[in-house]
Amino acid sequence: MRWGDMDAYGHINNVEIMRMLEEARIAAFGPPGGTGAAGVEPLVPLFSAVPDGTLALVVEHRVRYLRPLDYRNVPARVDVWVSGLKAAALTLDYVVHDPVDGHECVRATTQLAFVDEASGRLMRLTLEQRERLAPYVATGLFSH
């Protein structure tokens, strides 16, 4: 959390929550290939290991705010896992916890798809990508 992430109520602003989810996603699965400079290898190199010309695009977000996330000068804990694998899309779920009392503040999900940059067509998840993600698949937060 950053000081500037607060809104007038002293809570982390909802737009900044979305940025936190993005940071958690990148920390877990790597930055999209060809972006930024070298850094620490992610736990599961997914986005950082796609072929050139492949875009990892957000299809949909769903966010449920359970309680305000107050600014603190320590990082919030964000759990992230794979909750769904389809032929051409994957779903990630997140829980954002208050770093001091551990309460759940936010539950969210993001659906992503790989797209061929040149043609704009969806790309199917490869067997290798599915195998790489399999150990991190768990029940979704918004499953019916």
Side-chain angles (χ1 to χ4, degrees), residues 1 10-13 17 20 67-72 76 96-99 105-106:
M1 291 183 274
H11 308 139
I12 301 303
N13 182 275
I17 294 288
M20 290 173 68
R67 61 188 299 163
L69 178 60
D70 293 320
Y71 170 78
R72 300 181 188 276
V96 180
H97 299 268
D98 183 286
C105 296
V106 177

Side-chain angles (χ1 to χ4, degrees), residues 60-101:
E60 180 179 23
H61 289 297
R62 181 173 176 184
V63 182
R64 181 172 297 149
Y65 299 95
L66 305 173
R67 61 188 299 163
L69 178 60
D70 293 320
Y71 170 78
R72 300 181 188 276
N73 63 349
V74 292
R77 189 179 98 226
V78 181
D79 298 328
V80 58
W81 66 95
V82 179
S83 62
L85 290 172
K86 294 183 180 177
L90 67 139
T91 304
L92 302 178
D93 281 25
Y94 320 78
V95 175
V96 180
H97 299 268
D98 183 286
V100 174
D101 64 24

